[in-house]
Amino acid sequence: MYINLAVILRFTFFPMSKVDGRIQPLVFDIATAFPFRVNLLPLMNLFDYDSKRDLLLNVIGNAAMFVPRGIVLSIVYKRLNTFWEVLLAGVGISFCIEIIQLPFSVRATDIDDLILNTIGVIVGYGIYTLIKCTRRTKL
């Protein structure tokens, strides 16, 4: 669980840009923080990438980061034992991350990220459910 959280935080707050071979952290600069960069229109910026590779990296990366979250939520938190509870928890975690990104001018709070992260949670919960059902039938 903590490894997945570390991966999410790494890609959220330490973008892929490098300077002199080192990954650069986000820098908070009050002069560039406002106005916030927010996209509330689904699919508006999803295809604004220079290459298909960048597009796939964004789509698959955002979903894949949250697949473990969908698996682990039901295992670690026994109260989260239905699809809707895990989905709501996953959306809540993703929403918090998007809100935390608001003051960083090099990041954007984007509804597409929320949607892709939620898809990852759903896939993860599906994997968890399949494993759970498979283990039940073998007993």
Side-chain angles (χ1 to χ4, degrees):
M1 178 168 160
Y2 295 111
I3 292 171
N4 176 242
L5 182 60
V7 169
I8 291 171
L9 293 175
R10 185 266 180 246
F11 286 108
T12 302
F13 296 105
F14 297 90
M16 297 298 286
S17 61
K18 291 184 178 182
V19 175
D20 295 328
R22 293 184 164 182
I23 296 172
Q24 299 301 301
L26 288 178
V27 177
F28 176 73
D29 181 7
I30 193 72
T32 61
F34 299 101
F36 293 140
R37 292 178 37 178
V38 178
N39 172 35
L40 298 177
L41 299 173
L43 306 177
M44 185 174 154
N45 297 325
L46 188 60
F47 300 105
D48 291 345
Y49 287 92
D50 296 333
S51 69
K52 286 183 182 180
R53 180 185 178 277
D54 291 340
L55 170 67
L56 287 174
L57 188 63
N58 178 52
V59 171
I60 293 171
N62 267 307
M65 275 194 313
F66 277 77
V67 169
R69 193 75 3 203
I71 296 169
V72 171
L73 282 172
S74 290
I75 295 170
V76 173
Y77 302 104
K78 299 297 182 195
R79 291 183 141 183
L80 297 176
N81 56 4
T82 69
F83 170 79
W84 296 108
E85 291 170 340
V86 171
L87 178 71
L88 188 61
V91 168
I93 292 166
S94 180
F95 182 76
C96 288
I97 289 170
E98 293 301 317
I99 295 302
I100 291 169
Q101 287 183 23
L102 278 173
F104 298 101
S105 62
V106 295
R107 305 300 285 171
T109 296
D110 196 339
I111 191 72
D112 295 335
D113 291 346
L114 185 67
I115 292 168
L116 293 169
N117 296 160
T118 302
I119 289 170
V121 169
I122 292 169
V123 169
Y125 184 75
I127 292 169
Y128 166 78
T129 304
L130 283 173
I131 292 170
K132 188 176 168 183
C133 289
T134 304
R135 290 184 74 200
R136 244 189 243 152
T137 57
K138 287 185 178 181
L139 296 175

